[in-house]
Amino acid sequence: LIALDMMKKMSVLHMENSNRGGFLADLLSGDRKQLQKALTNARNFGFEPKAGHQVMVLRQRRPTKAASSRDAMYQFNTNVIRMLQQSVRNTVVKIIYANQGSQIILLLESSPLGGKNLTRPIADFVAALQHRFAQEGIEEIRLMGVGLE
């Protein structure tokens, strides 16, 4: 029963991740039809199109051969997402994220408290996240930001 319950939870998490990943892929595709599809589904993900946004990609710097298998990367990213969830609690930045194979895509959205300017809240979030990674002994993460929208 315990194993069955764990499998059920993993399936739900995988399905949620897949849905968020599809949303982010549509949103960031550059294709008009896919963008419209994403905007139609925006409310399902708590996404506010008129808020300030930034995209961030978290990627493992140089995975070892053992860590570069698809399953190992997914597991590594799942652990990183767990840390993300714990780090986001005290920020004014809302985050929609998806584990997409070798990377984690994050869409950072300002809350009403953060206003349109995400520079300071994102810098604080990244510092907290890097501190969390250092505490967990994860130093092989590369953070990349993409401009404000």
Side-chain angles (χ1 to χ4, degrees):
L1 288 174
I2 293 172
L4 186 58
D5 186 51
M6 286 179 59
M7 290 298 292
K8 177 182 166 188
K9 287 178 183 176
M10 287 175 51
S11 294
V12 169
L13 289 175
H14 179 70
M15 198 167 24
E16 288 174 351
N17 182 69
S18 180
N19 289 336
R20 282 191 309 266
F23 170 71
L24 291 174
D26 288 343
L27 186 67
L28 302 173
S29 71
D31 179 76
R32 212 178 222 325
K33 287 182 181 180
Q34 286 179 288
L35 177 60
Q36 190 57 45
K37 178 182 171 188
L39 293 175
T40 300
N41 291 322
R43 300 275 184 244
N44 297 338
F45 297 95
F47 175 75
E48 178 52 54
K50 294 183 181 179
H53 296 93
Q54 186 167 0
V55 174
M56 183 183 293
V57 177
L58 299 177
R59 189 179 288 159
Q60 203 171 355
R61 188 169 291 152
R62 283 181 223 105
T64 63
K65 282 194 176 196
S68 65
S69 76
R70 187 177 197 152
D71 289 341
M73 270 192 215
Y74 192 86
Q75 183 59 44
F76 179 84
N77 287 354
T78 300
N79 289 335
V80 170
I81 284 174
R82 179 182 48 82
M83 288 179 243
L84 271 171
Q85 290 169 331
Q86 294 166 351
S87 298
V88 76
R89 290 183 184 143
N90 298 320
T91 185
V92 295
V93 178
K94 182 164 83 177
I95 298 176
I96 301 169
Y97 58 86
N99 182 352
Q100 294 190 320
S102 64
Q103 60 192 15
I104 300 169
I105 308 285
L106 297 94
L107 177 66
L108 302 122
E109 179 179 294
S110 66
S111 73
L113 296 175
K116 289 266 185 196
N117 186 354
L118 289 173
T119 306
R120 180 80 267 158
I122 288 177
D124 293 344
F125 170 72
V126 169
L129 192 57
Q130 288 176 323
H131 178 72
R132 178 66 194 230
F133 290 158
Q135 282 181 323
E136 296 284 334
I138 297 176
E139 297 174 11
E140 60 267 11
I141 291 289
R142 180 183 303 155
L143 299 171
M144 294 177 278
V146 178
L148 294 170
E149 199 175 275

